């Protein structure tokens, strides 16, 4: 991937929107963790070509990973973390750009003109990481009483200090709003993951019941074959003992 998130300083136009950019993988499950997103075209824009890009192509499977949006029906996209191996440096982003309804276009070069392209980065993480982050953010608010009590400034200095505290409070408020939004998204994701875990438990219970039934049938078949073999061995032993060729050597006469 040529660009990093920090290198993009210009403002992109917006043509499509995801129902959420907060992607949390339940990496502590036996299957590949995945999350479903919905991609919609904004009203009033023409056909839009979109695609997902990542700096870890061997770790992320996005299906579908590209397409053209020329209608208002949402596209469901599944993001899968292969082998559940997540790294904080992983990046996954959505690119979108308008295309002509009649003329063709080259998907390899359409995003070279970045001024007309939309780039939306997904906030990736695992369940444990996001819970720890939410707990850490809840402790980061500024203690205003402590800041005010620790100051002995008066006059203009006091005004400047209060202005600084106000600015800091506004930043904290914005952070709290963002934290609340992420907490709500995290709750939705955790509820979904919990339902998936319940579904897996029921699936494994059903599979276990099938395996137990198969084991019982195979055990009964093995016992039947063992009894049949034992009966055949007994029958052969009785036949061998009754055979005339099996007489004792002491009954033979030599003339």
């Amino acid at each position: 991937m040529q660009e990093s998130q920090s290198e993009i300083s210009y403002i992109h136009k917006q043509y499509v929107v995801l129902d959420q950019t907060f992607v949390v993988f339940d990496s502590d499950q036996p299957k590949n963790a995945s999350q479903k997103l919905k991609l919609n075209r904004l009203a009033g824009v023409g056909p839009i070509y979109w695609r997902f890009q990542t700096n870890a192509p061997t770790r992320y499977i996005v299906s579908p990973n590209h397409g053209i949006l020329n209608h208002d029906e949402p596209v469901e996209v599944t993001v899968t973390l292969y082998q559940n191996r997540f790294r904080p440096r992983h990046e996954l982003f959505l690119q979108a750009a308008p295309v002509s309804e009649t003329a063709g276009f080259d998907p390899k070069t359409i995003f070279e003109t970045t001024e007309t392209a939309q780039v939306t980065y997904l906030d990736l993480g695992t369940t444990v990481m996001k819970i720890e982050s939410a707990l850490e953010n809840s402790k980061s608010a500024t203690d205003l009483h402590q800041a005010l009590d620790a100051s002995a400034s008066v006059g203009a200095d006091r005004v400047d200090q209060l202005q600084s505290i106000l600015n800091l409070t506004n930043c904290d408020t914005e952070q709290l709003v963002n934290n609340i939004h992420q907490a709500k998204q995290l709750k939705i994701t955790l509820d979904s993951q919990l339902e998936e875990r319940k579904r897996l438990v029921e699936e494994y219970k059903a599979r276990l019941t099938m395996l137990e039934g198969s084991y019982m049938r195979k055990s009964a078949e093995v016992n039947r074959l063992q009894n049949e073999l034992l009966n055949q061995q007994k029958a052969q032993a009785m036949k061998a003992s009754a055979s005339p060729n099996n007489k004792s050597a002491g009954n033979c006469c030599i003339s």
Side-chain angles (χ1 to χ4, degrees), residues 47 62 72 78 91 95 103 111 132 158 189 214 219 247 249:
V62 183
D72 296 329
T78 302
E91 292 182 352
Q95 292 178 307
F111 295 108
E132 289 178 347
R158 182 67 167 179
T189 302
S214 176
S219 296
K247 292 182 178 180

Side-chain angles (χ1 to χ4, degrees), residues 55-71:
N55 64 347
T58 61
R59 284 283 155 252
Y60 295 92
I61 303 172
V62 183
S63 178
N65 60 5
H66 70 281
I68 297 178
L69 269 175
N70 51 14
H71 52 75

Side-chain angles (χ1 to χ4, degrees), residues 112-124:
E112 289 181 353
T113 307
T114 54
E115 289 79 6
T116 60
Q118 171 187 343
V119 178
T120 302
Y121 278 84
L122 275 62
D123 184 2
L124 305 176

